[in-house]
Amino acid sequence: MSPELLRLLVVATGDTLRMVAIAAGLGTLFGLPLGVFLATSGRGELFAAPWANRVLGILVNATRSTPFIILVVAIIPFTRLVAGTSIGTNAATVPLTVAATPFIARLVEGAIREVDAGLVEAARAFGASPLQIVLKVLIPEALPGIVLGLTLAVVSLIGFSAMVGAVGGGGLGDLGIRYGYQRFMPEMMAAVVAVLIVLVQAVQTIGDRLARRLNKRLRHA
């Protein structure tokens, strides 16, 4: 591979990492409280609001069930409103964030629902408020599961970031399509795939180790 192609690969990798980091950060910022609410707003739960829970659940499911490439095209007007353009790395973070938020919300909801209900009842018996129960019982106990969920979300975002290359989103996907496919350069396509595999493996390894460490800390607490 020539130095110029290697430079393009490094730049594209940086763009992909930036897209994924921003989307994961914003997706967690929006998805974490949404997931907590979904897990605690059912009938008879801490923040009982069955109608709100049902409506938000439908919206989350609708977004998650939309294929990502269709979602990218469908929200182009919103992407232009937020990013000022519908192409490029900055624009790509908008659909990535929209896709990540409900995905993370459901993962957080699932992790919180795995927490032993007896712990919640014990906290209630000691007079803890619903917010205190969420912050001091549910989230700490569910943290290993949440970390694993976020790891899965980041891995999925790496794959989604490659898809946005098909619509001018930049990053490794765009590089693979423009050089590997359109210019018939199999070595570039192979390099892009190899980098994506390394990124996914690194994220999964870090997430697994962090979750195990948090789990051990909870057991010894």
Side-chain angles (χ1 to χ4, degrees), residues 2-20:
S2 68
E4 177 60 20
L5 291 179
L6 184 60
R7 185 189 68 81
L8 290 173
L9 183 64
V10 171
V11 171
T13 302
D15 288 342
T16 292
L17 289 174
R18 184 159 63 90
M19 282 191 291
V20 170

Side-chain angles (χ1 to χ4, degrees), residues 8-156:
L8 290 173
L9 183 64
V10 171
V11 171
T13 302
D15 288 342
T16 292
L17 289 174
R18 184 159 63 90
M19 282 191 291
V20 170
I22 293 173
L26 292 175
T28 302
L29 180 66
F30 300 137
L32 180 59
L34 178 58
V36 171
F37 183 77
L38 288 171
T40 58
S41 59
R43 192 178 303 277
E45 294 180 333
L46 292 174
F47 301 99
W51 280 105
N53 183 285
R54 190 171 303 172
V55 170
L56 284 175
I58 291 172
L59 291 174
V60 165
N61 290 339
T63 305
R64 288 186 60 203
S65 63
T66 304
F68 180 69
I69 196 67
I70 295 177
L71 178 68
V72 171
V73 176
I75 66 169
I76 282 177
F78 178 68
T79 300
R80 285 178 179 156
L81 179 65
V82 173
T85 180
S86 61
I87 59 174
T89 304
N90 291 334
T93 60
V94 177
L96 286 172
T97 300
V98 171
T101 298
F103 185 52
I104 290 173
R106 283 301 188 193
L107 293 171
V108 170
E109 179 190 8
I112 287 178
R113 290 194 181 281
E114 289 294 319
V115 176
D116 187 358
L119 294 175
V120 176
E121 293 304 318
R124 274 177 163 170
F126 279 104
S129 67
L131 185 59
Q132 288 175 325
I133 293 174
V134 168
L135 295 178
K136 296 183 178 181
V137 178
L138 291 178
I139 290 181
E141 289 293 325
L143 200 53
I146 291 174
V147 169
L148 287 176
L150 291 177
T151 301
L152 176 60
V154 173
V155 168
S156 298

